[in-house]
Amino acid sequence: MSRTEEFEELRPLLFSIAYRILGSVSEAEDAVQESWLRFTASPTQPRSTKAFLSTTVTRISIDVLRSARARREVYVGQWLPEPLLADPYEDPARSAELADSLSMAALLLLERLSPLERAVFVLREVFSFGFPEIASALDRSEAACRQLVVRARRHMEEGRPRFEADRQEREHLAGRFFDAVRDGDVACLRDLLAADAQIVGDGGGKSPQLAKAVVGADNVARLLASYFPPLLSVDVTMEPHEVNGQPGAIFRDRDGRVLNTWTLDVLDGRIQTIRSVSNPDKLGHLGPVADAWAVSREANRARRQAGREFPPGENG
């Protein structure tokens, strides 16, 4: 097998490791590409291509994460991971761990960890790497890596997200929810939301976004009921789609360009959290990106004609 073939076989794993460490599709793709360049530049063939490339992509991702953290400290508004429609890596033996670790809630929880804790947690708990492999990847002793894992587990357990276990139930609830959003049905939405439900948005200061999280079933229901009908009048479509392993949707303008994404956390038959990503810098990997400001202005004109205008900052 050639180096190219070996690399392409491992690419899904490398991307999945990098994405979970970084929470960014674009940065993960860059880390994988840099790993390829270092692999091709290696004068000798590694004894284990998987070990070499996993180590390389992990070290690159840790370095990128350290610099990214400084940027996130001055990020405008709520920072959310870049939405991922499908994980390229599959392992039937670890499907539950892979799915849970991909969720927006889990990725946000990983943000609490130091870069080394995050890397060791991803390698050990998600991908089941052995401690000798992890120690080599992080250039730390096995004992130090075990300590990192213990600390990371403790932090993760303190806020570990829980989701509806039954996938079919989740999808059924999400379907009812999206129908109610389309219809602007406040009563139905209120019934589908948890009492402490919340909606949070990430526009990065580059698109219309919520000024802060909206909390409470009644508040969220009223906001959602006012959200979609004006957009529907300007030909925005809502396409239900799994996002980060959870029920979600992609919003598109009349030309099919991506406006934003939603992901839903579902537990105990209710929707707990809705996360909206509309920062255009985080949507480019999904296809051409819409001008959210232009869509917002057009929707507001339609809404004024109907006698109801979007409250400031509450249009996506």
Side-chain angles (χ1 to χ4, degrees):
M1 184 182 295
S2 69
R3 284 199 177 191
T4 301
E5 290 170 330
E6 286 184 297
F7 179 81
E8 290 302 325
E9 187 174 277
L10 290 165
R11 182 190 287 273
L13 171 63
L14 302 178
F15 173 85
S16 294
I17 291 171
Y19 177 74
R20 285 165 174 82
I21 293 175
L22 294 166
S24 165
V25 172
S26 54
E27 289 175 346
E29 289 174 342
D30 288 346
V32 171
Q33 182 62 23
E34 178 62 25
S35 299
W36 162 247
L37 295 175
R38 296 188 189 184
F39 182 44
T40 56
S42 176
T44 59
Q45 178 70 20
R47 284 189 298 175
S48 168
T49 301
K50 178 183 177 182
F52 176 89
L53 287 170
S54 299
T55 293
T56 303
V57 81
T58 297
R59 291 179 178 179
I60 292 169
S61 297
I62 289 171
D63 289 342
V64 172
L65 181 59
R66 284 173 173 152
S67 62
R69 287 202 156 193
R71 296 194 302 273
R72 290 174 193 176
E73 287 177 1
V74 296
Y75 193 80
V76 177
Q78 170 72 52
W79 181 90
L80 294 175
E82 289 184 15
L84 183 67
L85 301 188
D87 188 356
Y89 179 73
E90 296 181 1
D91 180 355
R94 302 194 64 76
S95 57
E97 292 90 342
L98 289 169
D100 285 349
S101 66
L102 194 64
S103 72
M104 287 271 184
L107 291 171
L108 286 170
L109 199 55
L110 282 168
E111 286 288 304
R112 300 182 185 182
L113 307 182
S114 71
L116 284 177
E117 287 172 343
R118 186 163 181 163
V120 76
F121 185 87
V122 167
L123 292 175
R124 179 64 180 174
E125 299 298 298
V126 180
F127 295 99
S128 201
F129 277 60
F131 279 107
E133 297 170 287
I134 297 171
S136 175
L138 301 186
D139 196 22
R140 297 289 192 279
S141 68
E142 287 187 43
C145 290
R146 290 179 188 276
Q147 290 178 339
L148 285 167
V149 146
V150 168
R151 289 205 301 269
R153 281 176 184 157
R154 185 169 63 246
H155 289 309
M156 293 295 287
E157 287 297 334
E158 288 171 0
R160 183 177 291 278
R162 296 185 300 131
F163 303 112
E164 189 72 57
D166 190 315
R167 185 186 186 94
Q168 192 170 2
E169 280 293 317
R170 275 188 336 204
E171 292 176 352
H172 177 67
L173 179 65
R176 292 174 58 203
F177 169 78
F178 289 128
D179 285 344
V181 171
R182 287 190 185 94
D183 295 339
D185 190 334
V186 175
C188 184
L189 285 166
R190 193 184 293 116
D191 288 343
L192 297 173
L193 294 164
D196 59 349
Q198 63 175 326
I199 180 168
V200 295
D202 175 354
K206 300 182 178 183
S207 73
Q209 68 185 75
L210 292 165
K212 60 181 180 178
V214 176
V215 182
D218 189 62
N219 292 332
V220 173
R222 291 182 182 279
L223 172 62
L224 293 175
S226 69
Y227 174 76
F228 194 69
L231 294 177
L232 186 63
S233 71
V234 297
D235 302 320
V236 168
T237 58
M238 179 169 58
E239 172 190 319
H241 200 295
E242 187 174 275
V243 181
N244 284 82
Q246 304 297 317
I250 304 171
F251 289 78
R252 300 181 186 275
D253 70 5
R254 62 168 57 91
D255 297 316
R257 295 173 298 194
V258 179
L259 190 62
N260 69 327
T261 64
W262 281 4
T263 55
L264 311 179
D265 291 351
V266 178
L267 180 66
D268 297 332
R270 294 288 186 274
I271 292 166
Q272 306 284 321
T273 305
I274 302 142
R275 294 186 176 87
S276 169
V277 177
S278 58
N279 184 340
D281 295 344
K282 297 186 176 185
L283 301 174
H285 61 285
L286 303 179
V289 178
D291 181 343
W293 294 108
V295 172
S296 175
R297 288 192 295 270
E298 188 178 0
N300 257 330
R301 285 195 294 271
R303 188 167 184 171
R304 282 195 298 271
Q305 291 170 1
R308 47 181 188 172
E309 185 171 0
F310 278 127
E314 293 188 359
N315 50 347

